[in-house]
Amino acid sequence: MKNHYKNEKISKYIEGAAMNSVYYRSTRSDKIRITSGEAILKGLAPDGGLFVPSRIPTLDEIKENMLRCGFAGADRCQSREDFMKLLSALDYRELAFEVLRVFFTDYSDDELKDCVKKAYDKKFDTDMIAPLVKKDGRYYLELFHGETIAFKDMALSLLPHLMTAAAKKNGIKEELVILTATSGDTGKAALAGFSDVPGTKIIVFYPKNGVSPIQEKLMLSSRGKNTLVVGIEGNFDDAQNGVKEIFSDKELGKKLLERGYRFSSANSINIGRLIPQVVYYIWAYLRLIAQGEIQAGESVNVTVPTGNFGNILAGSYAKKMGVPIETLICASNENKVLFDFFGTGQYDKNRRFILTASPSMDILISSNLERLIFEAVGEDPERCLLLMSSLKKTGRYELTPEEKKTLGGFIGGWTDEKGTLDEIKRVFQTSGYVLDTHTAVASSVARRAASGDADMLSALPANPGLSMIVISTASPYKFTGSVLSAIEETCQAEDDFAAIGELSRITGTPIPKAVADIKNAPVLHSMVCGALDMREAVTGFLK
Ligand SMILES: *Cc1c(COP(=O)(O)O)cnc(C)c1O
């Protein structure tokens, strides 16, 4: 990172001062107030709630930090627009540092710089980290240039470093052991993030016969000496239940603590995954300025392919910080719980679970939505707890009309399976750009929203004509089979690996290195166990 600061000592002074500090509280009770480092280590609040920042810091606070530290040019920024222009000259790492620093106020500048430097390095196949490309009249923010070519790399490459720094500063001596159950994608992204990070071990369980050959090969070829990948004889629920039981086994926890290990979790409700995602929304807006597409201060709309609601929630945090995002459009596939929710104010997961071509969005309980609900109920933890208990007991809850009104900045939209594949084909034919299935769901919604077509939308955006950013969450090479069949209906590749070559040939796009490498990568993990033997697998690894 370049050093724009004239005076490092001033920066040190700010670290010591608690003036602008942000702490973290639970969505389900008023009792807990902890630092971001502690929240990152804990993952979930002890009352079952999610950690939320005590307040959302603003772009002005970023400016104040930069001013106080003598950042070249900050003193000449008269307006918010001037400041955004200044920010648009930062690279991704520099911006990430400035954003994290106003949320994670208990970390020192040096700690955060170090985390950012380790996260966004050569693991990404472009120095831009997250390029914004203009295609077919929209702007696609490509979040798939990390190691597992999907957006979870954006946060999971940073989280391990945030965790180990937090452990250090909180006097935790034990090694952190990340336990994860995966249905395919998150497991590999977590493995990649934690691989050979000192002070951590990671254990991933997946359903032996429930992931794609490419997903399996990606996991089994994980190199890190601190990694263990285990296939279980059972489905994803068995894996997830097994992990939950291990987590809640106090005896086992105590035994492992004596051996010098402490369990931790890297799942998507961790605040250490949410906040790093705020960065790329600000980044996308700044790219529009830097690329001369908009004037600083102009409003934009953003469409996000959504499952667990983590990605789009980060977008709403960026908006609160002062990024001029007018409408956040939440795009769902046929599992359109969220579309219904934004239309009616009623969340109801009692419906058939549909397997789609965008599997990472096949979700009926969007856990991160709880953080938005907390805001909608006026940050009243008792009311939030009531709604979440209702979700657990009956599978549904309903906001009051007043509560629903607070969600005005969001609209819901969805795309069916045919619409998803049609969108891939359409965008490829008009612009030669290849979308993955998840991005295609969002792209289809975005296109209809921008053209004022209210079909399959809970409402039209307040201003459909604004520049539209579509969050692009995976490389088309991650879901090659579906993408290929969308573009070339007659094309039948023998298997996923053959499809990769075929897709590259037909579209003239290069095969990402991560995918090219896996076919010949050696298999380094071979453990398979029964769903009831997961505990033994864990204790065996943590000798
Ligand atoms: C996880 C994932 C999503 C959904 O993101 P959420 O934060 O869960 O809403 C969308 N697309 C891809 C490719 C993903 O991996």
Side-chain angles (χ1 to χ4, degrees), residues 21-25 33-34 51-57 379:
S21 65
V22 174
Y23 61 86
Y24 289 77
R25 56 190 288 204
R33 292 227 179 330
I34 59 177
F51 287 116
V52 285
S54 52
R55 61 187 179 81
I56 306 288
E379 306 198 344

Side-chain angles (χ1 to χ4, degrees), residues 150-152 185-186 268 277 304-312 360-361 363 368 436 438-439 473-474 479:
F151 103 94
K152 296 201 175 54
D185 278 347
T186 313
S268 87
Q277 296 174 176
V304 189
T306 299
N308 237 332
F309 209 75
N311 196 347
I312 192 169
S360 301
M361 296 159 70
I363 285 174
N368 268 298
D436 100 286
H438 303 73
T439 310
T473 51
F479 301 93

Side-chain angles (χ1 to χ4, degrees), residues 25-88:
R25 56 190 288 204
S26 166
T27 50
R28 296 195 189 178
S29 74
D30 247 337
K31 291 189 206 82
I32 305 157
R33 292 227 179 330
I34 59 177
T35 63
S36 69
E38 291 168 309
I40 287 167
L41 288 171
K42 279 198 188 347
L44 198 68
D47 56 19
L50 273 54
F51 287 116
V52 285
S54 52
R55 61 187 179 81
I56 306 288
T58 63
L59 293 179
D60 295 334
E61 285 174 64
I62 295 183
K63 182 177 166 186
E64 275 164 37
N65 273 341
M66 290 167 73
L67 263 177
R68 257 189 243 116
C69 300
F71 190 100
D75 52 342
R76 288 193 302 276
C77 294
Q78 301 291 328
S79 61
R80 171 72 65 85
E81 286 71 33
D82 286 347
F83 179 58
M84 290 198 285
K85 272 187 243 161
L86 180 79
L87 276 186
S88 73

Side-chain angles (χ1 to χ4, degrees), residues 331-343:
S332 301
N333 62 24
E334 291 181 3
N335 295 292
K336 55 185 179 57
V337 192
L338 288 166
F339 162 80
D340 294 336
F341 170 71
F342 284 112

